[in-house]
Amino acid sequence: MAPHHGNEEEHEVRGEPQKPVIRDNRKVDPVTGGVRKPGEGATPDEGAREAGPAADAEHEEMRPVDEAHDSEDVLAQAERILSEAAGVQNEAAELREDLQRLQAEYVNYRKRVDRDRAVAGEVAVMGVLSSILPVLDDIDAARAHGDLTEGPFASIAAKLEGILTSHGLERIDATGVEFDPNIHEALIQQQGEGIEVDTVQQVLRAGYRTQSRVLRAAQVIVAVP
């Protein structure tokens, strides 16, 4: 009789008689009449023994990996992702700065083009107006002699002057105003009475100007104090 070590259940299991192993090797299932597959007639113990290596392999594959090594890999991957993200952000910032610089250059270019176009248009208009000034002098002379009081030529002259006025042409022919060397050209000076500053006494030839430039100064007689 084996010595007793205090574990009754273990002694009871060990003391049980070993059951005989019955193997059913028949290829035809006596119940269903169908052909058995290999291993279907094995006893539970044999099935367990046959499945044992596969279960052990599966259990071996499911064993946890080294947590420290896994953490290092995760940290390295996170650092690599952060480094790539920082590089992408820097590149995006550089592209944004380039875009802003190009946009500013384009805005300045558009302003410069618009300004040059406006100046070119103004110069063209002033060139046309300046070329017509002799015609306006002839109209003034004809009107002074009474040749444009009525008739078709008077109507044509009035229409021409109206068109030129609509394009910004302005006559400089006022008398009794203070002499301005920017718009007046003094041909004669004479003493005047009751005046305190140089005053335009008579306009010999009308001058013309636009809003931005004097096309021709008016030739005048100036009365001085």
Side-chain angles (χ1 to χ4, degrees):
M1 182 175 181
H4 187 272
H5 295 286
N7 193 336
E8 298 294 339
E9 295 180 356
E10 181 180 358
H11 282 281
E12 290 177 1
V13 173
R14 291 179 179 179
E16 291 181 356
Q18 187 175 7
K19 296 180 181 181
V21 178
I22 301 174
R23 295 182 175 85
D24 188 356
N25 295 327
R26 289 176 294 180
K27 298 182 178 180
V28 178
D29 192 333
V31 178
T32 63
V35 179
R36 286 179 173 176
K37 297 179 180 180
E40 287 185 351
T43 62
D45 292 340
E46 290 177 347
R49 284 196 299 272
E50 292 177 357
D56 293 342
E58 182 179 359
H59 182 69
E60 183 68 22
E61 292 178 357
M62 295 178 61
R63 290 180 181 177
V65 298
D66 189 357
E67 295 182 357
H69 181 70
D70 188 36
S71 299
E72 292 178 357
D73 292 342
V74 172
L75 291 176
Q77 185 176 5
E79 291 178 355
R80 183 172 63 256
I81 293 174
L82 292 176
S83 178
E84 293 177 356
V88 171
Q89 290 180 353
N90 293 333
E91 184 177 359
E94 293 178 358
L95 293 176
R96 184 168 54 253
E97 292 178 357
D98 293 341
L99 179 60
Q100 292 176 351
R101 182 171 59 256
L102 290 175
Q103 185 177 6
E105 292 178 357
Y106 176 73
V107 171
N108 294 332
Y109 168 76
R110 286 294 304 271
K111 290 181 179 179
R112 184 170 61 254
V113 169
D114 293 340
R115 184 173 60 252
D116 294 343
R117 184 183 295 113
V119 171
E122 184 179 355
V123 170
V125 171
M126 288 189 298
V128 173
L129 295 177
S130 298
S131 64
I132 299 179
L133 295 185
V135 178
L136 296 179
D137 293 337
D138 293 340
I139 292 175
D140 290 340
R143 185 177 289 116
H145 288 82
D147 296 335
L148 294 179
T149 56
E150 57 183 1
F153 289 105
S155 177
I156 293 173
K159 289 181 180 179
L160 177 61
E161 291 174 342
I163 292 173
L164 297 177
T165 301
S166 66
H167 283 82
L169 185 64
E170 180 182 353
R171 288 175 62 92
I172 305 174
D173 59 353
T175 59
V177 297
E178 184 178 356
F179 174 78
D180 185 355
N182 295 319
I183 61 175
H184 297 135
E185 180 183 357
L187 298 181
I188 301 174
Q189 289 185 353
Q190 57 187 15
Q191 295 292 328
E193 296 181 359
I195 58 174
E196 298 180 356
V197 294
D198 294 348
T199 304
V200 176
Q201 187 176 27
Q202 183 180 352
V203 177
L204 302 177
R205 189 182 69 174
Y208 293 94
R209 64 181 176 184
T210 61
Q211 294 181 352
S212 59
R213 183 176 179 182
V214 176
L215 300 179
R216 189 179 72 184
Q219 295 179 350
V220 299
I221 298 176
V222 179
V224 296

